[in-house]
Amino acid sequence: MKKWYEEEYEFNIEVTGFLRGNQTERYCRNGEEIGDTYSCTYGCPVNQDGYGICSKMMMIMFPTMEAVRSGGNLINIGGQDEFSKNLVCPDGCVMFKLTVKKLGNENFYTGDFFD
């Protein structure tokens, strides 16, 4: 892999709780635990140990991330503020908080990358 573009946003995801129960065993197939954190720019989020976030959760997060990358405001889709939103996994087990940091780089589509 040869990353050539400095992304416009960084995404941080934290496991904030469970909807039922208080342990990950026999509950969350990916083994999410409260306090786990993941981060990424464009690729899939990974934690400090190099493990990726649940693939089902990524299906939920990707459209939200694309909304931000398109100049959107997360308040418009139920976020707590412009750059944060609470999400629940598709299995209804784990709660996450997505936080976005604007890095100040040019937008991929409106920058001068294709000239």
Side-chain angles (χ1 to χ4, degrees), residues 27-54:
Y27 188 61
C28 172
R29 186 173 180 167
N30 206 44
E32 309 291 3
E33 295 181 293
I34 295 170
D36 284 348
T37 59
Y38 297 84
S39 64
C40 68
T41 53
Y42 186 76
C44 293
V46 295
N47 65 17
Q48 63 277 3
D49 297 323
Y51 293 111
I53 200 160
C54 171

Side-chain angles (χ1 to χ4, degrees), residues 9-27:
Y9 296 97
E10 178 181 59
F11 299 91
N12 293 293
I13 301 99
E14 180 180 1
V15 176
T16 58
F18 298 124
L19 289 178
R20 302 173 299 277
N22 60 2
Q23 65 184 30
T24 193
E25 293 84 3
R26 298 183 176 267
Y27 188 61

Side-chain angles (χ1 to χ4, degrees), residues 76-99:
N76 294 335
I77 56 172
Q80 288 67 44
D81 59 47
E82 182 178 2
F83 291 117
S84 68
K85 179 173 174 50
N86 292 327
L87 301 161
V88 177
C89 79
D91 291 333
C93 298
V94 183
M95 297 180 293
F96 296 85
K97 181 173 185 177
L98 172 70
T99 306

Side-chain angles (χ1 to χ4, degrees), residues 53-64:
I53 200 160
C54 171
S55 56
K56 289 181 184 180
M57 192 59 209
M58 191 60 200
M59 289 187 316
I60 300 297
M61 286 190 314
F62 184 75
T64 305

